[in-house]
DNA sequence: ATTGTCGTTGCTATATTAGTATCACATCAT
DNA sequence: ATGATGTGATACTAATATAGCAACGACAAT
């Protein structure tokens, strides 16, 4: 599942990307020492990485010498989001799914997190649905569950070894049972145990699967089938 | 203008990001040797960078061992695009600008290129306007011109030293004259010398300026003022 | 078989980076 | 003023992480 560490992993690149992400997810400009503290890396090192990113135009220094995202960040983002074509292909399909009056979402699994690329409750202007939510624990998300089910049990055990699993208080066996159910059905149906009594239905798209589509809202058992059918059509249209 | 190369620039990070971008902009899966040829970097080095990116989940190997974008790429993209809030703030404003019936665009200047984050001709579904166009030479773009005008002449000379300037066959002086005009007016008005006889009006947003908004289409001299006014309102709303 | 790719790794010299100490500049409370 | 703390940034040197060579097995075309 997770690729093994290769012969000569480039540590500078690993730390550099971590810095890049920490910078990207910081809503306000940050100084190098504070960023270093967040990342638990030496501040001099972070400073040099930031200066390198600034040289590339990916970071930018504000008037008070703090760092923030630069134009290169947007270029990088635009390239990586749209070059693959995932979002561009998916958006019209997702808008079409909104006719059911439920929340529509598209997300990817990354390690044990889900990142939503699109997440729009009914009524929200479609263009506002982009990137509304950052990272969520995979097990709290319908898309996360359905994408986790693509891995085999050994991988899942390794991933969650020695850690609490959000939404699965009984631990790994409870999660594995859920994933087995998802594999059997071919889709995930998850009950959201809050006061709104919502359900999520989700399935995966892409070959190999790397993204998930979902609808959530008040979905009684009887209404599941047609929604799954619509999702399946959407998934094939998006993912090829 | 362009940040100086610092004391200890991290070369691994520079090459790593170059590899990341090359991977992102490749529509099909690529092998490490081919990528190395495109980047003019040693193929063994590229291989190790790719394996590191794969370890991070940003790259992914296909069945035939070629490399393509992985889920981490989408996470990175989503984080960098939306964390800053630029796109999220801008989209509703841009949609509103489309009422004039012209092409509406939002872009950033990166080195001597412009990257469009949004570019929608009239009639196009708004959500399709995202990331339609990759990189364009800055001098061929209204947004590029208005963002270049934020730099002073010395920077511009350095940027284009010893190189041809697209759309400015007479060279650097012709470009500098145009930029001076833009600074005087406070916006760019550019004539697109093709058979459609279009004009672009563009102005910058953000403080310090790092993005540009533009409208293009058949815009006679007399119609410029109200468009500029609308753009200016949009720019302050987007950029703060 | 031959020849050409391809991705990948072991090896070793050395270029590159890590971490110390230190600087100049802020801001704050004394 | 004064000292104490914060910041970002750099020179220095030791040590380590990386570059580049050569080579491997796998595949494809000839």
């Amino acid at each position: 599942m997770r690729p093994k560490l290769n012969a000569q992993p480039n540590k500078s690149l690993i730390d550099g990307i971590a810095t890049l992400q920490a910078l990207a997810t910081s809503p306000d400009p940050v100084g190098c020492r504070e960023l270093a503290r967040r990342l638990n890396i030496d501040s001099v090192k972070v400073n040099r990485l930031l200066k390198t990113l600034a040289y590339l135009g990916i970071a930018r220094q504000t008037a008070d010498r703090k760092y923030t995202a630069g134009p290169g960040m947007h270029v990088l983002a635009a390239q990586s989001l749209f070059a693959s074509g995932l979002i561009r292909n998916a958006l019209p399909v997702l808008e079409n799914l909104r006719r059911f009056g439920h929340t529509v979402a598209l997300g990817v699994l990354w390690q044990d997190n889900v990142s939503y690329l699109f997440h729009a409750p009914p009524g929200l202007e479609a263009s506002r649905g982009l990137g509304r939510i950052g990272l969520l624990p995979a097990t709290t998300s319908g898309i996360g569950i359905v994408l986790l089910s693509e891995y085999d049990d050994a991988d899942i055990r390794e991933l969650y070894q020695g850690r609490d699993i959000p939404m699965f208080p009984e631990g790994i066996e409870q999660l594995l049972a859920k994933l087995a159910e998802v594999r059997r059905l071919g889709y995930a149906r998850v009950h959201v145990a809050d006061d709104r009594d919502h359900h999520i239905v989700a399935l995966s798209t892409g070959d190999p699967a790397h993204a998930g589509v979902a609808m959530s809202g008040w979905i009684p058992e009887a209404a599941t089938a047609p929604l799954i059918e619509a999702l399946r059509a959407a998934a094939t249209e998006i993912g090829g």
Side-chain angles (χ1 to χ4, degrees), chain A residues 197-222:
Chain A
D197 193 38
H198 276 191
H199 281 268
I200 312 172
V201 287
L203 48 80
S204 61
T205 177
D207 185 34
H210 60 275
V213 240
M215 283 196 265
S216 70
W218 191 78
I219 304 173
E221 188 78 46

Side-chain angles (χ1 to χ4, degrees), chain A residues 5 13 18-19 25 28 34 39 50 62 67 90 92 95 98 113 132 137 159 177 183 188 190 201 203 216 234 240:
Chain A
L5 207 44
L13 182 55
T19 305
T25 52
D28 303 306
E34 189 185 332
L39 292 166
L50 282 170
T62 59
Y67 290 91
E95 288 202 37
R98 299 183 76 210
N113 296 294
R132 266 181 359 105
L159 188 64
R183 289 189 201 104
V190 178
V201 287
L203 48 80
S216 70

Side-chain angles (χ1 to χ4, degrees), chain A residues 23-25 33 37 39 65 68 72 84 117-118 132 136 157 161 174 178 184 190 204 218:
Chain A
L23 183 70
T25 52
R33 281 174 133 104
R37 253 175 275 122
L39 292 166
R65 300 201 300 178
T68 187
S84 88
L117 305 180
F118 183 86
R132 266 181 359 105
L136 247 68
R157 282 181 196 279
Q161 192 170 31
Q174 191 189 8
K178 180 69 186 176
R184 187 164 39 79
V190 178
S204 61
W218 191 78

Side-chain angles (χ1 to χ4, degrees), chain A residues 12-13 16 19-20 23 44-61 67:
Chain A
S12 299
L13 182 55
T19 305
L20 177 65
L23 183 70
V44 177
K45 184 173 179 180
V46 171
N47 183 289
R48 295 202 257 243
L49 290 170
L50 282 170
K51 279 220 122 26
T52 304
L53 291 173
Y55 169 73
L56 294 173
I58 293 171
R60 178 169 64 88
Q61 280 191 282
Y67 290 91

Side-chain angles (χ1 to χ4, degrees), chain A residues 85-86 89-90 93 106 204-211 213 231-240:
Chain A
L86 176 58
N89 290 336
V93 180
L106 174 77
S204 61
T205 177
D207 185 34
H210 60 275
V213 240
L231 277 175
R232 200 172 302 281
T236 51
E237 201 172 342
I238 293 170

